[in-house]
């Protein structure tokens, strides 16, 4: 998660208006979902990877690392689609050609879809979604909460990591039993510190005239129709190519 | 003499559970001065600072602003906190927004300023604290020193008359301290009244106009910095040692002829060098005394 966050903040496209990334990504996702997967999905996947790595400049390793988990999950699940259980004569496990086709199609399509989402996650900081959420009428309180939790995750993650290190330095994880006890203590301690943190943060906020609403400036991100059009053009190209391919290959 | 800008008169405060934190505390903050609240750890400095902006309400006594005791209703508190800005010791307790720019904009937006004005103020404060390049950075990717400056920027953006800082130099390296003090000096020259708490006597001596010596929940002595630090009895009572620079300067006879006592390390070293080079100086004896004191 830290890696995703790091790249979202530091890639070449992180300052771009979120809509310029969201609309093409969703378009690409749509193409991947409606077109025949065997030809379209690889194309979508390549385009998404290309945009992430060469467009936004996110290292390929980071992208592949992020895709590894869903890919493993898909690879583990696919074989079960390719076989069928037959109960007519007792019990038989049978390989079915349609099943195999289905497995391949599902895997490719899912991978393509995940790569579109990975593109979004790796190029757009969480904070940029806030104006969009507000625009689609998510209540202000919920958006504030999302942003506050986003910030606090890192405060607590840091405390959890240092706390764990301090425990490990005193052999808190040397045996399984010790480990369980240390973990319980750490979790309890973090909970307590969370409450204290909340109290102190309230003091800090009231010192700045907090009255129950966390209003902050929105970042100025000039929106460009040109860039959006360019993105959509790419999506259109992918769609047409996949249509032509589908007709050419029976 | 006119009334002090901000004052505490006869403050008593107990924490829930009966622990006495402040006891008949008096403090005056004079306009345009740099006041250091000097005391050992756990002496109640933070509790006092939280009274200065109305976060805590004393059991007895009152806080006075411009010669008027302040009320604790909502509107008075808002007006009070616009004038007295408080920076907490731990920046993570204060920074809540995901980016630097957003966090700094929080205070001015609460003042009801229009967005373009807020944007200008954010740019201005970031510049004053030399953190302009951090504007669009995520808060959690900052170093401790950077977070500290962002926390100060967030309060400064509200343009308080009095800036109160709790242990602002704690956790900073020497360069961080220098940069922070430079920034504070500029604020001081621009007319902001500054109050900060510390247990560092050297820092207090180098920086303060006035010092309030804190011990067991009360201000023992308050006055001009060098005078307070020379008060051996009060300093010992507060379990603090006088700053080395002041001791050396005094041994060299500085300040006796009516000249101001040298404050900076450089000026004390220069004085020492002059004495060592000069004829028939009393320095050898003084150095021996200094030596044996630390053995």
């Amino acid at each position: 998660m830290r890696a995703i966050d790091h790249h979202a903040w530091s890639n070449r496209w992180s300052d771009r208006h979120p809509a310029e990334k969201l609309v093409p990504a969703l378009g690409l996702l749509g193409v991947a979902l409606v077109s025949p997967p065997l030809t379209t999905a690889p194309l979508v996947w390549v385009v998404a990877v290309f945009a992430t790595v060469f467009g936004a400049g996110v290292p390929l390793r980071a992208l592949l690392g992020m895709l590894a988990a869903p890919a493993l999950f898909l690879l583990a699940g696919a074989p079960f689609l390719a076989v069928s259980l037959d109960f007519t004569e007792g019990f038989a496990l049978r390989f079915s050609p349609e099943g195999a086709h289905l497995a391949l199609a599902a895997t490719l399509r899912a991978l393509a879809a995940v790569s579109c989402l990975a593109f979004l996650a790796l190029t757009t900081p969480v904070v940029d979604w806030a104006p969009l959420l507000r625009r689609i009428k998510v209540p202000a309180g919920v958006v504030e909460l999302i942003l506050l939790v986003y910030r606090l995750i890192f405060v607590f993650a840091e405390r959890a990591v240092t706390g764990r290190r301090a425990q490990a330095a005193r052999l808190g994880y040397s045996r399984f039993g010790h480990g369980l006890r240390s973990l319980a203590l750490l979790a309890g301690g973090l909970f307590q510190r969370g409450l204290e943190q909340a109290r102190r943060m309230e003091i800090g906020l009231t010192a700045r005239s907090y009255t129950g609403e966390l209003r902050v400036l929105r970042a100025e991100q000039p929106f460009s129709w040109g860039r959006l059009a360019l993105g959509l053009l790419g999506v259109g190209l992918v769609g047409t190519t996949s249509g032509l391919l589908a007709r050419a290959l029976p | 003499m006119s009334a002090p800008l901000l004052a505490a008169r006869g403050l008593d405060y107990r924490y829930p559970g009966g622990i006495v934190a402040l006891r008949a505390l008096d403090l005056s903050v004079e306009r345009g001065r740099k006041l250091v609240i000097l005391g050992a750890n756990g002496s109640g400095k933070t509790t006092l600072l939280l009274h200065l902006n109305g976060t805590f309400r004393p059991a007895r006594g009152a806080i006075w602003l411009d010669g008027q005791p302040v009320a604790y209703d909502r509107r008075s508190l808002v007006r009070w906190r616009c004038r007295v800005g408080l920076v907490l010791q731990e920046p993570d307790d204060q920074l809540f927004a995901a980016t630097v720019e957003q966090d700094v904009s929080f205070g001015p937006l609460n003042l009801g300023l229009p967005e373009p004005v807020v944007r200008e103020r954010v740019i201005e404060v970031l510049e004053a604290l030399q953190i302009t390049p951090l504007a669009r950075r995520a808060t959690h990717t900052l170093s401790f020193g950077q977070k500290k400056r962002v926390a100060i920027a967030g309060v400064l953006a509200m343009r308080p008359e009095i800036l109160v800082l709790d242990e602002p130099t704690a956790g900073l390296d020497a360069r961080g301290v220098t940069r922070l003090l430079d920034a504070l000096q500029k604020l001081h020259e621009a007319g902001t009244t500054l109050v900060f708490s510390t247990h560092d006597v050297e820092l207090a001596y180098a920086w303060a106009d006035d010092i309030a010596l804190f011990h067991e929940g009360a201000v023992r002595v308050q006055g001009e910095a060098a005078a307070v630090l020379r008060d051996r009895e009060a300093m010992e009572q507060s379990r603090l040692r006088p700053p080395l620079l002041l001791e050396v300067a005094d041994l060299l006879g500085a300040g006796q002829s009516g000249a101001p006592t040298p404050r900076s390390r450089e000026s004390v070293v220069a004085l020492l060098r002059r004495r060592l080079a000069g004829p028939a100086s009393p320095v050898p004896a003084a150095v021996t005394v200094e030596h044996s004191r630390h053995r």
Side-chain angles (χ1 to χ4, degrees), chain A residues 37-140:
Chain A
L38 289 189
T39 48
T40 312
L43 196 60
V44 167
W45 193 81
V46 168
V47 170
V49 169
F50 211 79
T52 315
V53 176
F54 294 99
V58 174
L60 183 65
R61 278 180 67 126
L63 177 61
L64 293 184
M66 191 179 167
L67 291 178
L72 273 179
F73 182 75
L74 287 168
L75 288 180
F80 294 98
L81 280 173
V83 296
S84 60
L85 277 177
D86 192 346
F87 290 101
T88 44
E89 295 162 38
F91 173 80
L93 202 60
R94 205 164 282 158
F95 177 79
S96 80
E98 307 94 81
H101 188 264
L102 184 67
L104 188 61
T107 309
L108 287 178
R109 185 171 270 173
L111 265 182
V114 166
S115 60
C116 294
L117 295 179
F119 162 77
L120 270 187
L122 285 168
T123 56
T124 316
V126 170
V127 186
D128 287 356
W129 298 117
L132 224 60
L133 291 176
R134 283 196 196 99
R135 178 164 285 188
I136 58 170
K137 299 277 180 298
V138 175

Side-chain angles (χ1 to χ4, degrees), chain A residues 5 9 15 127 150-151 154 197 200-201 203-210 215-221, chain B residues 50 53 55 81 88 92-99 102-103 105-106 109-110 119 136 138 140 154 158:
Chain A
D5 189 69
W9 280 104
D15 277 345
V127 186
Y150 171 72
R151 160 90 184 104
F154 293 97
Q197 168 95 30
R200 284 197 307 263
M201 188 164 262
I203 292 176
L205 291 179
T206 40
R208 291 195 278 163
S209 301
Y210 169 66
R215 278 212 310 145
V216 293
L217 273 189
R218 284 173 208 179
E220 271 175 330
Q221 290 168 314
Chain B
L50 289 173
N53 86 332
T55 305
R81 285 171 185 157
L88 302 178
D92 272 334
D93 290 343
Q94 198 174 315
L95 304 178
F96 75 94
T99 73
Q102 289 184 341
D103 202 275
S105 73
F106 176 69
L109 281 173
N110 285 335
R119 231 172 258 284
R136 276 278 291 151
H140 63 262
M158 300 176 74

Side-chain angles (χ1 to χ4, degrees), chain B:
Chain B
M1 203 179 112
S2 66
L5 182 53
L6 180 71
R9 298 270 172 262
L11 291 194
D12 275 0
Y13 186 79
R14 264 165 209 273
Y15 273 108
I19 303 156
V20 177
L22 303 180
R23 195 182 283 132
L25 180 142
D26 288 320
L27 180 85
S28 303
V29 181
E30 305 292 342
R31 190 183 295 276
R33 304 272 291 177
K34 296 181 288 187
L35 171 68
V36 162
I37 294 170
L38 184 63
N41 288 337
S43 56
K45 299 189 295 285
T46 301
T47 312
L48 168 62
L49 297 192
L50 289 173
H51 277 85
L52 294 184
N53 86 332
T55 305
F56 285 176
R57 197 175 175 162
R60 203 174 310 149
I63 302 289
W64 296 60
L65 201 54
D66 280 337
Q68 299 277 329
V70 226
Y72 286 80
D73 61 284
R74 214 182 159 85
R75 288 188 55 192
S76 316
L77 277 175
V78 168
R79 244 176 300 148
W80 184 354
R81 285 171 185 157
C82 292
R83 301 185 60 189
V84 182
L86 172 68
V87 181
L88 302 178
Q89 182 179 350
E90 180 55 55
D92 272 334
D93 290 343
Q94 198 174 315
L95 304 178
F96 75 94
T99 73
V100 169
E101 193 176 57
Q102 289 184 341
D103 202 275
V104 176
S105 73
F106 176 69
L109 281 173
N110 285 335
L111 295 181
L113 298 169
E115 277 201 20
V117 178
V118 173
R119 231 172 258 284
E120 260 166 46
R121 278 210 188 178
V122 171
I123 291 170
E124 186 190 300
V125 212
L126 292 183
E127 212 149 274
L129 290 171
Q130 297 173 355
I131 46 176
T132 311
L134 303 182
R136 276 278 291 151
R137 282 269 297 276
T139 318
H140 63 262
T141 61
L142 305 178
S143 74
F144 181 78
Q146 290 170 331
K147 278 185 189 171
K148 202 115 191 179
R149 266 180 288 158
V150 174
I152 295 174
V155 174
L156 270 189
M158 300 176 74
R159 294 207 183 138
E161 279 169 67
I162 308 170
L163 184 64
V164 180
L165 306 106
D166 193 6
E167 301 261 1
T169 57
L172 292 180
D173 60 14
R175 188 161 154 268
V177 171
T178 313
R179 290 179 73 168
L180 178 72
L181 293 183
D182 284 348
L184 292 181
Q185 185 60 34
K186 280 197 195 108
L187 287 175
H188 167 69
E189 281 156 18
T192 311
T193 303
L194 294 163
V195 180
F196 82 61
S197 70
T198 183
H199 57 262
D200 184 342
V201 286
E202 307 290 341
L203 177 72
Y205 179 54
W207 194 80
D209 292 331
D210 302 317
I211 289 180
L213 197 57
F214 212 82
H215 179 54
E216 285 182 351
V219 172
R220 285 293 137 110
V221 200
Q222 180 176 358
E224 190 269 323
V228 171
L229 292 169
R230 281 194 183 110
D231 188 335
R232 281 188 182 275
E233 199 186 330
M235 287 289 282
E236 246 159 60
Q237 225 180 28
S238 306
R239 288 184 241 109
L240 293 168
R241 287 172 66 178
L244 180 60
L245 281 188
L246 179 63
E247 277 193 286
V248 173
D250 281 349
L251 282 171
L252 291 172
Q256 280 169 2
S257 52
T261 321
R263 289 280 191 101
S264 71
R265 186 190 164 116
E266 288 74 21
S267 53
V268 172
V269 169
L271 185 65
L272 186 59
R273 191 166 283 147
R274 265 204 309 280
R275 283 307 172 81
L276 285 171
S281 69
V283 166
V287 168
T288 323
V289 172
E290 184 62 18
H291 219 76
S292 57
R293 270 181 60 87
H294 283 273
R295 277 287 156 89

Side-chain angles (χ1 to χ4, degrees), chain A residues 2-20:
Chain A
R2 289 211 83 135
I4 297 175
D5 189 69
H6 169 76
H7 292 299
W9 280 104
S10 59
N11 72 83
R12 279 202 289 268
W13 287 355
S14 58
D15 277 345
R16 299 268 167 93
H17 194 280
E20 290 171 20

Side-chain angles (χ1 to χ4, degrees), chain A residues 135-217:
Chain A
R135 178 164 285 188
I136 58 170
K137 299 277 180 298
V138 175
V142 176
V143 180
E144 278 172 13
L145 202 64
I146 290 172
L147 293 177
L148 193 61
V149 167
Y150 171 72
R151 160 90 184 104
L152 289 179
I153 282 173
F154 293 97
V155 175
F156 287 118
E158 204 175 300
R159 292 215 174 128
V161 168
T162 46
R164 211 198 114 97
R165 264 185 215 139
Q167 287 181 322
R170 285 177 286 160
L171 306 181
Y173 293 91
S174 56
R175 281 188 221 155
F176 183 69
H178 291 184
L180 280 185
R181 201 167 55 107
S182 300
L183 201 61
L185 284 171
L186 184 64
L190 277 180
F191 183 70
Q192 206 176 348
R193 293 187 72 166
L195 289 176
E196 284 163 20
Q197 168 95 30
R199 211 167 296 138
R200 284 197 307 263
M201 188 164 262
E202 205 191 341
I203 292 176
L205 291 179
T206 40
R208 291 195 278 163
S209 301
Y210 169 66
T211 48
E213 198 193 356
L214 295 172
R215 278 212 310 145
V216 293
L217 273 189

